[in-house]
């Protein structure tokens, strides 16, 4: 019997709510007492209707949102780190070396070329610039981004082209854990298939992936299991 892949992420009693200060301080609970585990080499897809907190969970795990309660435990450098209570310098180190994130939208420095944007995900971790650019170009080609776009800033690209830049930047560092927030929402069938291949290769290499995927065909192709979220109806 094969040993189970090691656990690399877990949440314990995780809670998150939002306070609407412009509406009398109404508090909207989104996540409550949430327990999730993620193991190396698996892809877990979040499921549930709109408004159940899927994107809130992804952003909380990455540290974009500060959790109200509970813990976010990340396996980082051989130790467990509670990202919900970590020092900002530790959060940055976890993001650099352990925890990748592909959001729905590309946010980059203006006037920087696409090739440099993707290569920076490697050079920031110590890869020599020439090697980083070669690998970046190869990844962009895998995602069917034509060569004449590589030296252009992506600000004027189509939504699908920008999403492929985002995906290239997210997959190229080979983080042990990768968060994907609707990674194929703007892609055609050919490019969705390319993402499915990248996910399969990442899992085979031991990457743990947590994803939001609304396209059912893509979801079924990449998910090892689903994690269902239900809405919290009441407000306080």
């Amino acid at each position: 019997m094969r040993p189970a892949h090691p656990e690399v992420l877990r949440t314990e009693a995780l809670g998150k709510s939002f306070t609407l200060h412009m509406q009398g301080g109404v508090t909207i609970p989104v996540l409550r007492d949430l327990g999730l585990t993620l193991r190396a080499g698996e892809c877990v897809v979040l499921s549930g209707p709109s408004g159940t907190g899927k994107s809130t969970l992804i952003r909380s795990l990455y540290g974009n949102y500060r959790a109200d309660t509970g813990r976010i435990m990340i396996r980082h450098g051989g130790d467990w780190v509670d990202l919900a209570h970590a020092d900002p310098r530790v959060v940055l180190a976890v993001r650099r070396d352990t925890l990748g994130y592909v959001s729905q939208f590309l946010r980059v420095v203006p006037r920087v070329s696409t090739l440099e944007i993707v290569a920076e995900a490697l050079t920031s971790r110590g890869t020599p610039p020439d090697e980083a650019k070669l690998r970046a170009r190869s990844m962009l080609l895998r995602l069917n981004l034509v060569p004449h776009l590589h030296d252009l800033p992506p600000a004027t690209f189509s939504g699908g082209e920008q999403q492929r830049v985002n995906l290239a930047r997210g997959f190229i560092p080979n983080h042990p854990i990768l968060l994907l927030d609707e990674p194929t929402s703007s892609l055609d069938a050919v490019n969705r298939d390319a993402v499915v291949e990248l996910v399969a290769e990442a899992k085979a290499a031991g990457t743990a992936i947590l994803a939001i995927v609304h396209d059912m065909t893509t979801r079924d192709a990449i998910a090892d299991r689903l994690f269902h979220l239900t809405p919290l109806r009441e407000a306080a």
Side-chain angles (χ1 to χ4, degrees):
M1 183 175 180
R2 292 177 60 189
H5 290 295
E7 188 177 282
V8 294
L9 181 153
R10 69 175 183 269
T11 66
E12 301 171 357
L14 185 67
K16 177 63 182 175
S17 61
F18 295 96
T19 301
L20 307 181
H21 296 287
M22 301 298 291
Q23 298 185 29
V26 172
T27 297
I28 307 298
V30 181
L31 305 173
R32 180 184 297 144
D33 199 29
L34 187 141
L36 165 74
T37 61
L38 187 63
R39 294 183 177 276
E42 74 169 345
C43 177
V44 175
V45 174
L46 301 176
S47 69
S50 178
T52 54
K54 297 185 292 293
S55 287
T56 296
L57 175 56
I58 290 278
R59 292 167 188 165
S60 296
L61 295 177
Y62 195 63
N64 286 347
Y65 293 158
R66 176 68 73 173
D68 297 329
T69 60
R71 302 203 299 171
I72 300 170
M73 305 302 297
I74 303 283
R75 189 77 174 172
H76 170 67
D79 297 315
W80 284 99
V81 173
D82 180 4
L83 213 61
H85 300 95
D87 181 275
R89 289 172 296 180
V90 174
V91 174
L92 290 175
V94 170
R95 289 177 175 180
R96 184 189 65 236
D97 296 330
T98 300
L99 183 63
Y101 173 48
V102 177
S103 70
Q104 296 180 54
F105 308 106
L106 180 65
R107 297 180 178 89
V108 294
V109 177
R111 295 180 294 278
V112 177
S113 76
T114 293
L115 190 66
E116 290 176 288
I117 287 168
V118 177
E120 193 272 337
L122 294 174
T123 57
S124 66
R125 305 176 73 198
T127 302
D130 288 346
E131 179 186 344
K133 287 184 178 181
L134 283 173
R135 290 172 59 184
R137 195 176 296 280
S138 176
M139 180 63 76
L140 289 167
L141 290 173
R142 282 202 64 181
L143 287 161
N144 301 304
L145 205 73
V146 293
H148 75 265
L149 296 178
H150 295 184
D151 295 322
L152 300 177
T156 59
F157 290 3
S158 71
E161 289 166 342
Q162 289 191 0
Q163 189 163 42
R164 280 177 276 161
V165 176
N166 228 11
L167 286 159
R169 182 176 170 85
F171 273 94
I172 201 169
N174 299 317
H175 285 109
I177 307 169
L178 186 58
L179 309 175
L180 305 177
D181 190 353
E182 297 191 48
T184 59
S185 59
S186 299
L187 302 185
D188 58 23
V190 170
N191 287 303
R192 287 197 298 269
D193 289 345
V195 173
V196 169
E197 289 181 5
L198 287 171
V199 169
E201 290 176 11
K203 289 197 300 179
T207 299
I209 298 174
L210 183 68
I212 302 169
V213 182
H214 288 144
D215 174 66
M216 299 291 283
T217 301
T218 303
R219 187 198 73 178
D220 292 345
I222 68 173
D224 294 294
R225 59 185 174 94
L226 303 181
F227 185 87
H228 191 72
L229 295 172
T230 55
L232 300 179
R233 299 293 183 185
E234 71 277 13

